[in-house]
Each structure stands twice: as structure tokens, then as C-alpha cells.
């Protein structure tokens, strides 16, 4: 994959994962066992609504980062590492209480997929940690 192709795919991935983050609330309504950690409607949990607010904000920032990923590399790496940490914590918690096993098929793999895809595309696009693009991007 050429750096310019990877760069364009990174932009698409940022928009896609940003959109998924913005759709967290509807996902919890449609598939609560895979996305919500409580019983009842999503709005009935203060904790869940806080998570929805955080991920909606991150989703909007990822949309913005898609314009110039090289200028937002710290945000992209934050998304990667926070997704990994969040997925690991949720996976452990899923095993601790048997009624949360649906998360192993929902938000846990979604977070890991986002982390893996963004990592691969950042590295193959030639963007450095300092935010500069490879010569193929300039």
C-alpha cells in the first residue's frame, strides 16, 4: 500500500470511527447487550450518558482530524491507546460478571478494531509522531 493510499484510507477510517462513536447511543438502543452496561433505556444511566458525551466529543474531533491527520497525530494516538485500555478493562469486567459477555462481541472488538486499523494506517501513511507527512504527502 502506497503512503498516499494509506493516507486517504486513514482519512476515511477517522470519519468512519468518528461516526461510530457518534452513534454509540443508537447502538445501545438497538443492541444493548453489546454496547450498554446497565438494564433499561440508555438515558436511565448517568454513567452511560457520560460515556456517550465523551465518545460523541471524540467522534467530532476525529471527523476534524480527517481533514489533516498529520496535524492531529496526538489525537489519533490518544484514540488508539485509550481504545486499547478501554477494551481491555471491559473485557476483564465482562468475565468478572457473567451477564456482560455480550460486550465481547460488541464494543470490545469495535475498540480493538479501531486501534488496529488506525495504527496500521498511521504507520503505513508515513506520518511521524511529530506530525509531518512523508514526502509522498507534500
Amino acid at each position: 500500500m502506497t503512503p498516499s493510499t494509506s493516507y486517504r484510507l486513514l482519512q476515511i477510517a477517522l470519519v468512519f470511527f468518528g461516526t461510530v462513536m457518534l452513534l454509540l447511543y443508537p447502538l445501545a438502543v438497538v443492541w444493548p447487550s453489546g454496547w450498554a452496561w446497565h438494564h433499561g433505556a440508555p438515558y436511565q444511566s448517568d454513567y452511560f450518558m457520560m460515556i456517550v458525551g465523551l465518545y460523541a466529543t471524540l467522534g467530532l474531533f476525529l471527523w476534524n482530524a480527517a481533514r489533516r491527520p498529520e496535524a492531529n497525530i496526538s489525537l489519533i494516538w490518544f484514540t488508539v491507546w485509550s481504545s486499547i485500555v478501554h477494551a481491555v478493562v471491559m473485557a476483564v469486567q465482562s468475565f468478572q460478571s457473567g451477564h456482560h459477555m455480550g460486550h465481547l462481541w460488541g464494543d470490545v472488538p469495535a475498540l480493538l478494531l479501531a486501534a488496529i486499523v488506525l495504527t496500521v494506517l498511521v504507520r503505513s501513511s508515513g506520518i511521524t509522531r511529530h506530525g509531518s507527512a512523508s514526502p509522498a504527502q507534500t
Side-chain angles (χ1 to χ4, degrees), residues 37 81-95 104 107-108 111-112:
W37 285 82
W81 285 107
S82 65
S83 295
I84 292 168
V85 169
H86 193 163
V88 168
V89 169
M90 285 194 307
V92 169
Q93 290 176 341
S94 293
F95 285 109
L104 298 175
D107 44 14
V108 171
L111 287 165
L112 292 174

Side-chain angles (χ1 to χ4, degrees), residues 21 24-25 38 42-58 86:
M21 290 176 185
L24 179 59
Y25 187 93
H38 65 283
Y43 64 84
Q44 292 175 320
S45 169
D46 293 339
Y47 164 78
F48 185 74
M49 294 309 296
M50 177 191 64
I51 294 296
V52 167
L54 288 170
Y55 274 98
T57 304
L58 181 56
H86 193 163

Side-chain angles (χ1 to χ4, degrees), residues 33 48 50 67 93 97 102 117 123-124 128-129:
S33 67
F48 185 74
M50 177 191 64
R67 294 180 190 170
Q93 290 176 341
S97 62
V117 168
R123 291 180 188 261
S124 63
T128 67
R129 289 195 187 274

Side-chain angles (χ1 to χ4, degrees), residues 2-3 18 23 32 35 45 52 54-55 59 63 65 70 72 117 120 130:
T2 66
L23 294 175
W35 298 89
S45 169
V52 167
L54 288 170
Y55 274 98
W63 275 2
E70 68 279 3
N72 296 281
V117 168
V120 167
H130 302 293

